[in-house]
Amino acid sequence: MNKTSQIILIFLFTNLCFAQNGKILSKRLVDITKTPIWKGISQDNELHSNFEHLNNLDFYFITYLSDSVKVRGIIVEPKAKGKYPVVIFNRGGNRSFGRLTIGTLIGYTSKLAEQGYVIIGSNYRENDEFGGTEINDVLNLTETVKEIDKADQNCIGMFGWSIGGMMTYLALQKSEKIKTAIIGNGPTDLFGLISDRPKMESNVIAECVPNYSKKKESELKKRSVIYWADKLDKNSSILILCGTNDKRVNPNQSDKIAQKLTEINYDFELKKYETDHYFTEYKDELNELVINWFDNRLKHKKLH
């Protein structure tokens, strides 16, 4: 094979891989009675009253393509027929810590789904770069939703928690398809994060980010929205949720980005609650906030 033929084959293969970004390779309906969370949400094999809404939802495990890598994810959708707005959920944690599970989506998004939304989330690729190439695994979900019959591909929001909040800021920097977003206790300045939690740098970031020791400053800035807030999609909007007793992400991170967004006249709201990183004492309020925001900024906005 001559050199020209090799170049053509490489070009065709590369384009084929990227043309398939988001393609669903497998999709499996989940029986939630067989999942680890079932015992905590049921008694005598019947759902507790606060979880009866799950009877109206279907859960699916999926595998999809992202940059030719196989990535796992989860879909939640109403059982009723219809075309629904989409919310991409970005999990927190890193590597195997904080993996997206059925339990995660039940806790954070099931009541939203029951109100008429398709939820889709990624577990990111195995080689976690802490906000590096795996951001494509989030962005490519905007292609995945085209294969979901009940999903309105033109009406997409995003919801990120903790490091998932950082991923959401990155998505709003790189995509114009996210109509609005909610970010809960997400870091906005990684220099501040590692100052508050030095082990976060040595045990996580330094291990995940390629060539971290040589490119520390530039790599931290790439992942810190405080340095490029003006690059966020100006047609989108953000609800920032902050737990003032958060021990994992300093609450001042929310204050810093709020000040920056105010300076550039960005469409956002900041809401603070006297609670921890997970909004433990405010779960009901959290569900209400999430539903109201997406109803007003995504679902109903489309109707006008």
Side-chain angles (χ1 to χ4, degrees):
M1 183 182 294
N2 61 41
K3 190 172 182 180
T4 302
S5 297
Q6 287 179 325
I7 292 172
I8 292 173
L9 281 175
I10 291 171
F11 176 79
L12 291 174
F13 177 76
T14 302
N15 277 272
L16 177 62
C17 289
F18 284 99
Q20 292 184 320
N21 273 337
K23 181 177 177 57
I24 296 176
L25 301 177
S26 66
K27 182 178 180 181
R28 177 168 63 87
L29 183 65
V30 180
D31 181 353
I32 64 170
T33 68
K34 303 295 194 297
T35 60
I37 196 175
W38 180 252
K39 288 184 179 179
I41 62 176
S42 66
Q43 185 174 3
D44 299 327
N45 218 33
E46 295 287 337
L47 287 165
H48 292 308
S49 58
N50 196 38
F51 294 98
E52 288 180 351
H53 63 284
L54 299 180
N55 289 319
N56 302 320
L57 303 174
D58 283 329
F59 293 78
Y60 297 91
F61 287 136
I62 63 167
T63 301
Y64 68 100
L65 276 180
S66 180
D67 300 343
S68 77
V69 178
K70 294 180 180 179
V71 181
R72 295 179 178 178
I74 302 176
I75 297 171
V76 189
E77 62 181 43
K79 289 183 177 179
K81 293 180 179 179
K83 208 76 167 175
Y84 301 103
V86 176
V87 172
I88 296 173
F89 181 80
N90 296 330
R91 73 171 180 90
N94 62 89
R95 296 169 287 189
S96 61
F97 174 69
R99 281 205 170 277
L100 185 70
T101 65
I102 297 296
T104 310
L105 291 184
I106 286 176
Y108 283 96
T109 68
S110 64
K111 291 196 173 179
L112 175 66
E114 200 267 338
Q115 292 299 309
Y117 291 84
V118 169
I119 314 297
I120 186 168
S122 173
N123 252 318
Y124 316 141
R125 63 191 64 186
E126 189 174 347
N127 294 325
D128 188 339
E129 296 182 357
F130 202 79
T133 55
E134 72 273 14
I135 185 60
N136 289 340
D137 305 339
V138 172
L139 298 175
N140 286 330
L141 288 177
T142 62
E143 294 297 313
T144 304
V145 299
K146 295 177 181 178
E147 297 188 46
I148 303 173
D149 291 339
K150 292 180 180 178
D152 183 347
Q153 62 180 287
N154 298 312
C155 191
I156 301 175
M158 190 169 283
F159 181 14
W161 202 268
S162 190
I163 299 306
M166 179 186 76
M167 297 292 278
T168 303
Y169 285 123
L170 286 167
L172 289 172
Q173 177 200 40
K174 299 174 184 298
S175 174
E176 296 179 350
K177 296 180 180 179
I178 313 304
K179 306 299 185 186
T180 190
I182 297 176
I183 294 172
N185 290 324
T188 63
D189 180 358
L190 264 60
F191 293 94
L193 183 69
I194 63 177
S195 175
D196 293 331
R197 298 174 60 194
K199 287 186 177 180
M200 191 71 186
E201 179 179 31
S202 58
N203 296 349
V204 179
I205 300 175
E207 292 182 1
C208 291
V209 177
N211 299 316
Y212 180 71
S213 61
K214 296 180 180 179
K215 302 189 296 182
K216 173 179 174 176
E217 183 171 355
S218 63
E219 293 299 324
L220 291 180
K221 283 185 176 179
K222 282 181 186 177
R223 295 158 171 80
S224 302
V225 64
I226 200 74
Y227 293 99
W228 38 263
D230 59 326
K231 303 298 183 184
L232 296 170
D233 179 14
K234 294 175 176 58
N235 293 317
S236 190
S237 58
I238 304 172
L239 171 62
I240 302 169
L241 302 176
C242 173
T244 57
N245 297 329
D246 190 350
K247 304 302 182 185
R248 302 187 71 85
V249 178
N250 194 317
N252 70 20
Q253 298 251 333
S254 293
D255 292 328
K256 284 182 177 181
I257 192 60
Q259 181 178 345
K260 191 71 175 179
L261 294 176
T262 299
E263 290 172 1
I264 63 174
N265 199 30
Y266 195 86
D267 184 5
F268 84 100
E269 291 183 26
L270 169 62
K271 292 185 179 293
K272 296 182 179 182
Y273 293 84
E274 192 173 345
T275 186
D276 59 15
H277 185 69
Y278 303 100
F279 269 51
T280 302
E281 303 93 342
Y282 286 90
K283 293 297 187 184
D284 290 338
E285 289 86 350
L286 177 60
N287 278 313
E288 187 176 345
L289 279 169
V290 169
I291 291 169
N292 286 341
W293 183 267
F294 285 124
D295 276 356
N296 293 328
R297 297 296 188 113
L298 190 63
K299 182 190 286 186
H300 295 159
K301 190 172 183 179
K302 183 194 172 190
L303 298 177
H304 290 92

